[in-house]
């Protein structure tokens, strides 16, 4: 009798945590860049927001372009280390080098030379990001195919990701502010966090085995690169995913401007407010995971997005005269609801890859991830470019550099009412525009737990070489029809 190798068994707790170490980079890097990089370019390096927007646009579009290629490459890689893990070994030193270059406090040369340098550094960083992120996200769908176990894995990953995010929200500016010279502070910060992001990737390489069932099989070709978009369920997932992550990107980037210019708080206080948001977020993850298991992943998204929109609207009524407590309460409340949104869409991704295996006859998580990241990054690049362009066109005045006792400091300048309204509008209104579509898609979601359970049983039998009866084929075809 042919033995069926199940792919939906539980994962060892130690494996979950070692794999989650990859989210030190995944969660921390994106938040550090989203929170501080635009501000670094405009208020430390002195590049106009208009040109800083183009640095984001070019860097993220390049990142998007190479993601599908890296995804297909990892699908087709065959090595003694598997098809995903080898990229963590290659990518770790590249992450360190590129991250230091990206935050190098270039203080000489014209604005044009600075723009060229930081475009190159950001492109290199996003190349390193693609080399490790796409295989990592693809591998997350391969550790188990169990519906609830994936939610548990997501819970573990989110805890590590958000703890990393808290560190990346609070510590960078504290390192910078501990040096009298702001340029030296940013350089030290870059080295510290370059190591912080790169070393855990080696833990994933050495400690997390790949599944043999998913590391073998037929290879794909270039013509298959965007085949995932043929699936109705994947197109809907990408649209929902975009709504949430682009909202996060835009709000994260604009928040430091909101704190500095609208609320007139000192720069270092941004770290504490962001820390409040992320601490509440990580504390809420177990509750959000429990809620997703008890109800559904899409209901977690609906709850999270609805509360997040409400927080955005409340931010329109908070100003420099508001009590300091108000911004901390708002940040904590926003962190609570964001946890539900993140748990929901992160856990859904793995379920969709099984629909792909059913439809295409092989595992192509890398291509799924590459295409997903391609679309996300193009959309985020355009959204960030629009936000920075609006701030630049509204008349933003760059800080003035001052040298005191040989140390460089940057002095923020007063901004006009139209600049302040632009910043507040982006923070308060964009969640409505971006998150409502995700709620609508979640309400109509059709890849239920029951459908997924039947699909996994069918796929396990097919991998074992067992033929399904005509009745079984007809049943699974009927179940899958709304999804493909």
């Amino acid at each position: 009798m042919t033995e069926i190798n199940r792919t939906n068994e539980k994962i060892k707790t130690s494996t979950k945590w070692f794999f989650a170490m990859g989210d030190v980079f995944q969660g921390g890097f994106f938040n550090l860049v989203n929170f501080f990089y635009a501000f670094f370019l405009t208020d430390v390096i002195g590049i106009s927001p208009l040109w800083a927007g183009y640095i984001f646009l070019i860097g993220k579009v390049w990142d998007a372009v190479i993601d599908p290629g890296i995804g297909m490459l990892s699908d087709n890689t065959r090595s003694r280390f598997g098809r995903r893990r080898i990229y963590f070994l290659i990518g770790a030193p590249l992450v360190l080098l590129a991250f230091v270059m990206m935050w190098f406090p270039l203080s000489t040369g014209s604005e044009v030379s600075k723009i060229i340098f930081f475009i190159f550094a950001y492109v290199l960083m996003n190349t390193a990001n693609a080399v490790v992120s796409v295989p990592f996200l693809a591998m997350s769908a391969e550790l188990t195919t169990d519906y609830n176990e994936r939610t548990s894995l997501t819970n573990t990953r989110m805890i590590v990701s958000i703890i990393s995010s808290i560190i990346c929200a609070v510590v960078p500016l504290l390192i910078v502010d501990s040096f009298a010279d702001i340029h030296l502070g940013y350089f030290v910060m870059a080295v510290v966090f370059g190591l912080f992001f790169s070393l855990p990737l080696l833990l994933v390489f050495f400690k997390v085995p790949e599944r043999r069932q998913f590391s073998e099989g037929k290879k794909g070709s270039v013509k298959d690169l965007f085949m995932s978009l043929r699936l109705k369920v994947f197109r809907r997932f990408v649209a929902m995913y975009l709504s949430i992550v682009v909202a996060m990107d835009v709000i994260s980037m604009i928040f430091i401007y909101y704190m500095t210019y609208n609320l007139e708080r000192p720069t270092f206080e941004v770290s504490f407010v962001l820390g409040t948001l992320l601490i509440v977020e990580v504390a809420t993850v177990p509750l959000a995971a429990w809620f997703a298991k008890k109800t559904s992943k899409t209901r977690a998204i609906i709850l999270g997005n609805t509360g997040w929109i409400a927080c955005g609207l409340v931010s329109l009524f908070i100003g420099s005269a508001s009590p300091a407590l108000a911004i901390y309460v708002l940040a904590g409340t926003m962190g609570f609801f964001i946890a539900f949104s993140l748990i929901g869409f992160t856990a859904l991704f793995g379920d969709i890859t099984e629909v792909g295996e059913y439809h295409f006859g092989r595992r192509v998580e890398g291509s799924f991830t590459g295409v997903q990241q391609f679309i996300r990054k193009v959309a985020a690049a355009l959204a960030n470019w629009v936000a920075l362009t609006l701030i630049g066109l509204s008349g933003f005045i760059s800080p003035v550099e001052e040298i005191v006792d040989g140390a460089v400091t940057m002095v923020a300048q007063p901004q006009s009412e139209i600049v302040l309204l632009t910043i507040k509008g982006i923070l308060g209104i964009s969640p409505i525009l971006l998150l409502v579509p995700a709620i609508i898609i979640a309400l109509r979601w059709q890849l239920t737990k029951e459908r997924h359970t039947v699909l996994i049983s069918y796929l396990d039998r097919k991998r074992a070489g067992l033929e399904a009866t005509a009745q079984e084929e007809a049943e699974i075809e009927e179940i899958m029809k709304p999804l493909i």
Side-chain angles (χ1 to χ4, degrees):
M1 182 176 179
T2 303
E3 180 182 355
I4 299 177
N5 292 315
R6 299 292 178 186
T7 58
N8 60 342
E9 67 269 17
K10 290 186 177 294
I11 313 170
K12 291 181 180 179
T13 301
S14 59
T15 301
K16 289 181 184 178
W17 285 104
F18 280 125
F19 182 72
M21 287 299 103
D23 276 291
V24 171
F25 175 66
Q26 294 298 311
F29 169 72
F30 282 111
N31 278 326
L32 200 157
V33 172
N34 289 339
F35 288 147
F36 305 124
Y37 197 53
F39 191 80
F40 169 76
L41 294 174
T42 61
D43 285 45
V44 177
I45 302 300
I47 296 173
S48 163
L50 290 171
W51 289 112
Y54 282 101
I55 293 173
F56 272 87
L57 183 65
I58 293 170
K60 284 181 177 283
V61 167
W62 166 254
D63 190 11
V65 167
I66 64 171
D67 276 350
I70 295 293
M72 189 190 71
L73 187 63
S74 73
D75 280 342
N76 291 339
T77 296
R78 301 292 184 269
S79 76
R80 64 191 184 94
F81 301 115
R83 61 177 180 167
R84 314 289 186 199
R85 291 168 57 230
I86 186 66
Y87 291 94
F88 308 135
L89 185 64
I90 296 169
L94 188 58
V95 166
L96 174 59
L97 171 65
F99 190 81
V100 173
M101 286 188 62
M102 182 179 166
W103 295 88
F104 187 77
L106 190 64
S107 58
T108 59
S110 64
E111 185 178 33
V112 172
S113 65
K114 291 178 181 179
I115 292 168
I116 293 172
F117 175 84
F118 285 105
I119 286 175
F120 175 79
Y122 197 32
V123 164
L124 182 64
M125 184 67 239
N126 284 324
T127 302
N129 172 46
V131 168
V132 297
S133 294
V134 174
F136 177 80
L137 293 172
M139 195 172 170
S140 69
E142 298 173 344
L143 294 181
T144 181
T145 59
D146 181 78
Y147 189 88
N148 285 331
E149 191 69 2
R150 277 180 172 158
T151 303
S152 175
L153 177 62
T154 300
N155 183 18
T156 307
R157 287 182 53 200
M158 290 301 302
I159 290 172
V160 172
S161 178
I162 299 172
I163 289 173
S164 177
S165 297
I166 293 169
I167 293 170
C168 291
V170 174
V171 176
L173 293 186
L174 296 181
I175 292 176
V176 172
D177 288 344
S178 67
F179 292 85
D181 189 315
I182 193 171
H183 289 168
L184 178 60
Y186 270 99
F187 179 74
V188 173
M189 183 278 291
V191 173
V192 169
F193 277 91
L195 292 169
F196 178 69
F197 292 141
S198 58
L199 293 179
L201 295 171
L202 298 178
L203 278 177
V204 182
F205 171 77
F206 285 111
K207 293 293 186 179
V208 183
E210 290 190 48
R211 283 192 173 277
R212 180 181 54 81
Q213 301 100 307
F214 299 153
S215 296
E216 301 171 352
K218 187 174 69 172
K219 295 184 179 181
S221 62
V222 174
K223 70 179 182 180
D224 296 330
L225 205 56
F226 286 88
M227 66 181 182
S228 55
L229 290 173
R230 300 175 202 166
L231 292 178
K232 187 188 301 181
V233 68
F234 182 68
R235 294 195 300 269
R236 290 175 177 171
F237 170 78
V238 168
M240 181 163 56
Y241 169 79
L242 279 182
S243 295
I244 297 169
V245 296
V246 172
M248 290 181 63
D249 287 347
V250 172
I251 292 169
S252 298
M253 184 190 70
I254 212 71
F255 196 77
I256 190 169
Y257 293 95
Y258 174 71
M259 286 283 295
T260 302
Y261 296 107
N262 290 73
L263 303 187
E264 299 177 1
R265 310 287 189 193
T267 303
F268 70 85
E269 192 177 357
V270 174
S271 298
F272 301 118
V273 175
L274 293 175
T276 300
L277 185 153
L278 294 167
I279 288 170
V280 173
E281 190 176 327
V282 74
T284 306
V285 163
L287 174 63
W290 173 84
F291 181 84
K293 284 183 179 181
K294 288 294 183 182
T295 58
S296 71
K297 299 168 187 178
T298 50
R299 288 186 181 179
I301 292 171
I302 293 166
L303 174 61
N305 284 15
T306 303
W308 190 352
I309 289 170
C311 290
L313 293 174
V314 170
S315 72
L316 296 173
F317 301 96
I318 295 178
S320 58
S322 301
L325 181 62
I327 188 63
Y328 286 94
V329 171
L330 177 63
T333 306
M334 188 176 292
F336 175 85
F337 286 112
I338 288 175
F340 284 83
S341 299
L342 291 180
I343 281 288
F345 83 74
T346 305
L348 276 177
F349 173 72
D351 303 341
I352 293 165
T353 61
E354 271 82 58
V355 181
E357 183 180 359
Y358 167 81
H359 187 64
F360 301 120
R362 56 192 174 88
R363 305 285 300 192
V364 287
E365 286 88 350
S367 295
F368 272 75
T369 303
V371 172
Q372 171 191 335
Q373 292 298 303
F374 169 80
I375 297 172
R376 176 260 170 98
K377 289 169 183 176
V378 169
L382 291 171
N384 287 337
W385 173 72
V386 168
L388 286 171
T389 298
L390 288 173
I391 293 173
L393 291 176
S394 66
F396 180 85
I397 303 172
S398 297
V400 175
E401 182 179 296
E402 288 188 359
I403 300 177
V404 180
D405 297 329
V408 179
T409 59
M410 305 299 293
V411 180
Q413 302 299 297
Q415 305 294 337
S416 68
E417 280 299 318
I418 191 167
V419 171
L420 299 179
L421 285 173
T422 300
I423 293 170
K424 180 175 282 192
I426 294 171
L427 184 71
I429 302 301
S430 59
I432 301 175
L433 302 177
L434 292 168
L435 296 175
V436 167
I439 294 175
I440 295 171
I441 295 169
L443 287 169
R444 303 173 63 185
W445 193 251
Q446 293 179 300
L447 182 52
T448 61
K449 179 180 179 180
E450 292 72 25
R451 277 196 169 104
H452 184 261
T453 300
V454 174
L455 175 60
I456 289 302
S457 178
Y458 174 83
L459 291 175
D460 281 340
R461 290 172 57 83
K462 293 288 284 186
R463 295 188 198 107
L466 300 177
E467 293 295 328
T469 66
Q471 182 179 352
E472 289 172 335
E473 290 287 0
E475 287 176 355
I476 193 70
E477 185 177 340
E478 185 65 26
I479 288 173
M480 291 295 104
K481 188 182 296 183
L483 307 176
I484 58 179

